[in-house]
Amino acid sequence: MEPFANSQAGALAASDRIRTARRLFFEEGTRPSGFLPDAVLRSWERCRGAGYRAGESISFDPVQDSAVTALRERSHELIQAALPEFARLGRMLGESSYGLLLTDAEGYAVAVHGPVQRCGELIRRALRPGVNLAEARIGTSAMAAAMAEGQAVAVFGEEHFFAQHGSFQCAAAPIFGVHGQLCGVIDVTRDAPLPQFGVLSLMQDSANAIQTALFRAVPARLRVLLRWRHAAMDGQGNALLAFGENGEVVAANHAARHLLDLRSDILGLHHDDLFQDRFASLDALLRQQPLVQWRLRSGLALYLEALDEPRRSPAPLATRAPAAITSPQVFPEFGDEDIARALPRAKRALDAGLPVLILGESGSGKEVAAQALHQQSRLRNGPLVAINCGAIPRELIEGELFGHADGAFTGARRGGAKGKLAQADGGTLFLDEIGDMPLDLQTRLLRVLETREVTRLGEGMGRRIEFQLLSATHQPLDVLVAQGRFRADLLFRLDGLRLSLPPLRQRKQLRALVETVLAEEGLSEADLEADCLPRLLQLPWPGNCRQLRSALRLARVTAEPGELIGMQHLPAELRQQAGCDASVGTHGQHRGAPQGASLRQHHQVLLAETLRAVDGNVSAAAQRLGVNRSTLHRWMKKAR
């Protein structure tokens, strides 16, 4: 039977088949072979064997915050690997009513995403973090069947064992870990009985992407893509294998296990158990060329392609970019299609040896973008060394950057210090708030960028280093150059490609970003009052992502256990901006900006009100607004 109806007549025919199957199975006790997908029929048989009756009512367990926290901590790696897929699926599924669900291997919901509030009450009760959705608890579902079958499964309408779930339409795919173990399931559920072309394939694709992210997270000396043909597209999928320092197999995704027919756990498995030649030979060859033909113990030959630069000897920036057939690029959700298009370009620029300059307001996600670019770059196995040029005291910044020799100055660390620039050797140097670097130190930094050589304080001999360069600032560097406060030649060295991050109030798909932040904070739209999310999307968010995250954390602890989060749980300054409070001054005057005021005026009023609310305590005001103290001081200076 086809899982998706392709016409009204097809849908009616499918409905008739399901009703016939239910009559044969539940009323006559006959096995309705051919009327249902085999995976669904096997689930029905397990449910009946457990003593369930189709007409009984099933309740979804209440959950405690402590239990949800424990579940999330246990599934932290899985949740983090799935977050980019939640964001991508949200864009693909559009504005329809649905819920995206991630479960652990035991069937407990560990993350929920999407506009679940638009679904019916039964789905809203089911799709909550912490709910036990295993087959033994709620009967037949796509999630439970996918877990039992080890493959993607769709279950629609009355294919669910319990009659009360007859409105559910769901598709799910299992997620396997790097040792072949079942980690969980990704599922999409809705209660609209419409044709759903392609959704089963979409779930399988998302499960594959999550598996690849889990694979990437395992530390390894060498990662390879396996295939039978020399050409890239041979229909085998991304079969990925990773080796440790001595050639031990540390990770194998589901496709690699299938290709190599690995039927048991990979623990204790070595490269030399699989292939005729030695691991050291493969390691040496893949340092010289991206693709080699390699013969299995069985005598069959396949092709191995390096996914990364070798970790212990990173190549110079001018060497080749990574192979084209790697795991899919996974960038964080920024809520803006222009940023989504710009990030892969920035990654390609970084791989080609160009520096990337990230521009944006405080809290707009510059550090998140830098981390993502490093993690997707060809030097991802090297260190990411971040230096906040505006946070290091002026008298210490030179020693922090360049390091110092033993006894270089009074109070110098015994044995000397390496310095941040040297620590970035073989990886990525991230110069955050570069616009705040003192002018005299800009000259020394420029020399390092030109020569790729660093000299510690108290030494006369320089040391050669190689790194890729990211920098970020909220400052208008072109203006600073014109004012003589920033070196033009340094800007030239930093400005290989510009990546601009607009503030939250200008993001074109802000809803997707807010939903992602909700998921990262252990929340979903289902945890919010119906009008809360639309009102959040209308706020100006002067503190950007940092302020958003801070506000949601406060709301979560302010709301009572089991209580839906509303605007009343947010910081006072946000409630005022949203028009939720009648904030009246001591003389009966309204403290908000006048109607039609500019964003700058609203910003000034918000700053003044926040400082007034905390009695002028700058640290408390910065915490409320979700910004750091230095940013708040800049705002106060501009507001004078």
Side-chain angles (χ1 to χ4, degrees):
M1 154 183 169
E2 292 294 328
F4 303 108
N6 56 10
S7 66
Q8 185 176 5
L12 289 172
S15 177
D16 289 342
R17 285 198 295 272
I18 296 172
R19 291 194 182 98
T20 300
R22 294 189 74 86
R23 177 177 55 79
L24 292 173
F25 188 86
F26 293 111
E27 298 176 17
E28 301 180 14
T30 303
R31 194 174 195 272
S33 299
F35 287 88
L36 289 173
D38 290 343
V40 174
L41 184 52
R42 284 191 286 268
S43 177
W44 281 14
E45 290 173 332
R46 289 192 296 271
C47 291
R48 184 167 63 182
Y52 287 129
R53 298 186 305 277
E56 64 183 289
S57 179
I58 298 297
S59 61
F60 296 103
D61 298 331
V63 294
Q64 300 295 324
D65 286 347
S66 58
V68 174
T69 299
L71 283 169
R72 285 198 169 111
E73 288 177 353
R74 193 173 65 192
S75 300
H76 176 75
E77 292 181 359
L78 177 64
I79 294 171
Q80 291 301 308
L83 285 176
E85 277 307 294
F86 275 160
R88 185 181 73 96
L89 289 168
R91 292 192 295 270
M92 298 187 71
L93 291 166
E95 297 299 316
S96 59
S97 302
Y98 67 89
L100 290 170
L101 171 71
L102 183 71
T103 79
D104 65 10
E106 296 177 2
Y108 285 94
V110 294
V112 179
H113 195 71
V116 184
Q117 288 283 28
R118 301 177 190 170
C119 298
E121 182 182 357
L122 197 59
I123 285 185
R124 293 201 304 272
R125 291 210 307 267
L127 301 190
R128 290 177 295 132
V131 174
N132 183 353
L133 298 171
E135 186 177 76
R137 184 68 188 85
I138 69 161
T140 302
S141 69
M143 180 275 296
M147 191 175 291
E149 300 288 328
Q151 63 182 16
V153 175
V155 178
F156 296 118
E158 293 183 300
E159 290 179 345
H160 291 82
F161 182 88
F162 291 112
Q164 75 176 47
H165 300 155
S167 64
F168 286 19
Q169 318 286 325
C170 50
I175 301 165
F176 295 96
V178 297
H179 295 284
Q181 79 281 17
L182 179 70
C183 288
V185 169
I186 186 167
D187 169 281
V188 60
T189 296
R190 59 187 298 186
D191 51 11
L194 300 174
Q196 302 187 39
F197 298 99
V199 70
L200 199 60
S201 174
L202 178 62
M203 288 298 101
Q204 184 61 68
D205 180 71
S206 291
N208 290 341
I210 296 169
Q211 289 169 176
T212 299
L214 291 171
F215 174 87
R216 283 289 194 185
V218 176
R221 173 175 175 78
L222 180 65
R223 296 182 178 89
V224 294
L225 171 72
L226 296 79
R227 60 173 185 257
W228 291 114
R229 302 175 189 270
H230 185 281
M233 301 303 293
D234 63 357
Q236 291 297 323
N238 279 356
L240 306 174
L241 202 60
F243 301 101
E245 290 293 342
N246 300 310
E248 65 276 16
V249 178
V250 295
N253 73 348
H254 200 56
R257 295 177 64 84
H258 178 73
L259 185 148
L260 296 173
D261 195 23
L262 299 178
R263 301 181 183 181
S264 58
D265 200 305
I266 64 171
L267 291 175
L269 191 64
H270 192 275
H271 165 277
D272 298 353
D273 298 325
L274 298 172
F275 300 97
Q276 292 183 3
D277 288 317
R278 311 295 291 177
F279 174 71
S281 301
L282 175 66
D283 191 34
L285 278 173
L286 287 176
R287 290 175 185 273
Q288 304 168 20
Q289 60 193 70
L291 183 71
V292 299
Q293 189 176 45
W294 215 236
R295 197 167 293 278
L296 292 163
R297 285 282 181 186
S298 64
L300 299 174
L302 45 69
Y303 290 91
L304 271 59
E305 183 173 6
L307 297 182
D308 311 305
E309 295 291 337
R311 181 158 62 90
R312 287 197 304 197
S313 58
L317 293 180
T319 56
R320 66 177 176 86
I325 305 301
T326 63
S327 62
Q329 292 180 14
V330 179
F331 289 105
E333 174 60 61
F334 280 88
D336 189 273
E337 58 189 12
D338 292 336
I339 300 177
R341 286 193 294 265
L343 282 167
R345 289 198 299 269
K347 183 262 183 190
R348 292 194 297 270
L350 204 60
D351 285 339
L354 291 173
V356 175
L357 176 61
I358 307 170
L359 304 174
E361 293 182 1
S362 295
S364 59
K366 298 188 293 295
E367 184 177 354
V368 173
Q371 290 173 345
L373 288 170
H374 168 74
Q375 291 165 3
Q376 292 294 328
S377 73
R378 65 185 183 84
L379 296 184
R380 63 178 69 87
N381 287 328
L384 170 63
V385 177
I387 303 171
N388 189 325
C389 302
I392 303 175
R394 183 184 180 89
E395 62 273 13
L396 298 179
I397 191 169
E398 192 167 11
E400 285 282 330
L401 285 177
F402 300 99
H404 61 80
D406 187 11
F409 51 85
T410 302
R413 185 183 305 167
R414 188 180 183 88
K418 194 173 184 179
K420 296 285 190 179
L421 294 173
Q423 291 174 21
D425 190 22
T428 303
L429 177 65
F430 175 42
L431 300 172
D432 197 9
E433 298 300 352
I434 185 64
D436 295 335
M437 175 173 277
L439 194 60
D440 53 337
L441 283 180
Q442 294 176 23
T443 303
R444 286 205 63 188
L445 176 62
L446 176 62
R447 178 171 176 77
V448 172
L449 298 183
E450 288 177 337
T451 64
R452 298 293 163 135
E453 191 174 274
V454 62
T455 303
R456 297 196 302 176
L457 296 176
E459 286 186 347
M461 182 73 69
R463 302 183 183 185
R464 179 76 179 176
I465 57 175
E466 289 293 344
F467 55 81
Q468 55 193 15
L469 180 63
L470 293 168
S471 52
T473 183
H474 69 280
Q475 301 268 31
L477 294 185
D478 297 307
V479 174
L480 296 187
V481 168
Q483 295 172 348
R485 297 164 54 196
F486 200 85
R487 292 185 61 109
D489 46 3
L490 177 57
L491 178 57
F492 174 77
R493 286 290 179 183
L494 301 173
D495 196 10
L497 179 141
R498 292 195 180 192
L499 174 63
S500 296
L501 304 180
L504 256 63
R505 59 187 174 273
Q506 296 176 9
R507 303 280 170 97
K508 298 174 182 176
Q509 290 86 33
L510 181 56
R511 183 190 184 98
L513 173 60
V514 174
E515 289 177 346
T516 297
V517 175
L518 281 169
E520 291 173 346
E521 296 301 325
L523 298 168
S524 72
E525 188 178 352
D527 297 307
L528 308 181
E529 292 180 356
D531 67 337
C532 188
L533 182 56
R535 299 179 81 169
L536 289 177
L537 299 177
Q538 297 301 315
L539 294 174
W541 297 111
N544 293 296
C545 298
R546 194 178 292 121
Q547 184 187 17
L548 169 63
R549 194 176 298 276
S550 177
L552 291 175
R553 287 175 179 172
L554 175 65
R556 186 177 181 185
V557 299
T558 304
E560 295 296 326
E563 180 185 11
L564 292 179
I565 291 173
M567 298 299 292
Q568 68 273 18
H569 299 115
L570 297 175
E573 60 274 7
L574 291 179
R575 298 199 303 270
Q576 183 182 22
Q577 292 176 68
C580 299
D581 282 355
S583 299
V584 179
T586 56
H587 299 289
Q589 295 177 335
H590 186 70
R591 291 180 175 175
Q595 186 173 4
S598 67
L599 178 62
R600 180 180 178 84
Q601 289 173 303
H602 279 289
H603 191 275
Q604 291 173 336
V605 170
L606 170 62
L607 179 59
E609 288 296 318
T610 304
L611 287 168
R612 186 182 295 112
V614 296
D615 297 325
N617 187 314
V618 175
S619 296
Q623 185 175 6
R624 281 197 175 203
L625 293 171
V627 299
N628 55 44
R629 283 174 53 90
S630 61
T631 298
L632 189 59
H633 278 299
R634 286 197 305 271
W635 289 359
M636 294 166 65
K637 186 177 180 180
K638 289 180 180 179
R640 289 170 186 162

